[in-house]
Amino acid sequence: MHDKVILVALNDEQKAEAVEAQSSRKKITHAVVCGDYGTIFGTEKYCLKYFNAWSSIFPNIFSGGEFSDSLQFGSYQPTYELVNILMVANDEAKKSSP
């Protein structure tokens, strides 16, 4: 499966939901969505760093990246250990591809 890594600019309502779900001390303006693997939330700078890296580092599970400002979220909780999840999924996809 080749998903795209999606960098999402959150609207004001989504920002408030994310801050409430995580920590009122965090500044959250964006999210990086990695398909069914998970999501992280943070500032634009923080999220852009991961978006740029993951869309190329994990070629066996992602076919690049895209930007969005209209994605809906089921949960505003981040996926802990997302890097480890992506590494395992990429290695498994690499082993199973011909």
Side-chain angles (χ1 to χ4, degrees):
M1 173 171 65
H2 284 284
D3 288 320
K4 289 194 180 285
V5 179
I6 304 171
L7 179 65
V8 182
L10 303 176
N11 63 35
D12 290 340
E13 184 180 318
Q14 290 174 317
K15 290 175 192 176
E17 291 264 355
V19 168
E20 184 179 320
Q22 295 178 45
S23 169
S24 61
R25 294 183 298 191
K26 283 190 167 189
K27 180 173 172 78
I28 298 174
T29 61
H30 287 72
V32 179
V33 179
C34 299
D36 293 335
Y37 302 107
T39 304
I40 61 168
F41 295 88
T43 63
E44 180 178 17
K45 182 179 179 180
Y46 176 82
C47 289
L48 196 56
K49 173 176 64 172
Y50 290 102
F51 169 79
N52 288 330
W54 292 345
S55 57
S56 60
I57 289 177
F58 301 116
N60 297 304
I61 55 175
F62 297 125
S63 61
E66 62 185 43
F67 299 94
S68 175
D69 60 1
S70 63
L71 196 66
Q72 296 299 316
F73 294 87
S75 169
Y76 289 92
Q77 288 293 329
T79 305
Y80 297 102
E81 302 294 327
L82 183 54
V83 173
N84 292 334
I85 293 167
L86 295 175
M87 287 176 13
V88 169
N90 192 68
D91 288 347
E92 288 175 3
K94 186 177 182 179
K95 288 177 188 174
S96 66
S97 64

